[in-house]
Amino acid sequence: MARGQGSIVRTLMLAAVAAAVWLLSSSPSEAFTPFSVAASSTRTALHAEAPAKKAKKAKKVKYPVTVKFDLVNYANVNTNGFALWEVEEVRD
């Protein structure tokens, strides 16, 4: 049993030394960056600049008139939007 525990301790010590050598031999930014991220970051930087987008045309407002009602509907809303041709002006 003692022989098995000695080999486990030696293996753990060897792993700790290997990890320390690996961390001390690389720069701090590379030590904790996965290989796939480090390799893809240069590709991403090369293609980061996209062409400028064209300005969108101003859209017309579909329902420019908002009417507020005294009572609420089933959705607890008391306003609704209407198009100009759907409403009439009321004079007192």
Side-chain angles (χ1 to χ4, degrees):
M1 189 63 85
R3 186 174 188 180
Q5 289 178 349
S7 64
I8 292 174
V9 171
R10 266 186 272 154
T11 304
L12 290 175
M13 290 295 288
L14 181 62
V17 169
V21 168
W22 176 68
L23 287 173
L24 294 174
S25 67
S26 61
S27 67
S29 63
E30 294 174 355
F32 299 104
T33 306
F35 296 112
S36 62
V37 173
S40 66
S41 65
T42 56
R43 286 188 311 213
T44 305
L46 292 176
H47 302 293
E49 294 182 29
K53 294 183 179 180
K54 294 181 181 178
K56 294 183 179 180
K57 294 181 181 178
K59 294 183 179 179
K60 285 186 172 180
V61 178
K62 193 170 186 179
Y63 302 111
V65 179
T66 302
V67 177
K68 186 172 183 178
F69 299 100
D70 294 331
L71 301 174
V72 295
N73 65 2
Y74 61 92
N76 203 25
V77 176
N78 67 341
T79 59
N80 198 7
F82 293 95
L84 291 174
W85 60 270
E86 295 179 310
V87 294
E88 292 181 11
E89 184 178 353
V90 177
R91 296 186 187 206
D92 289 331

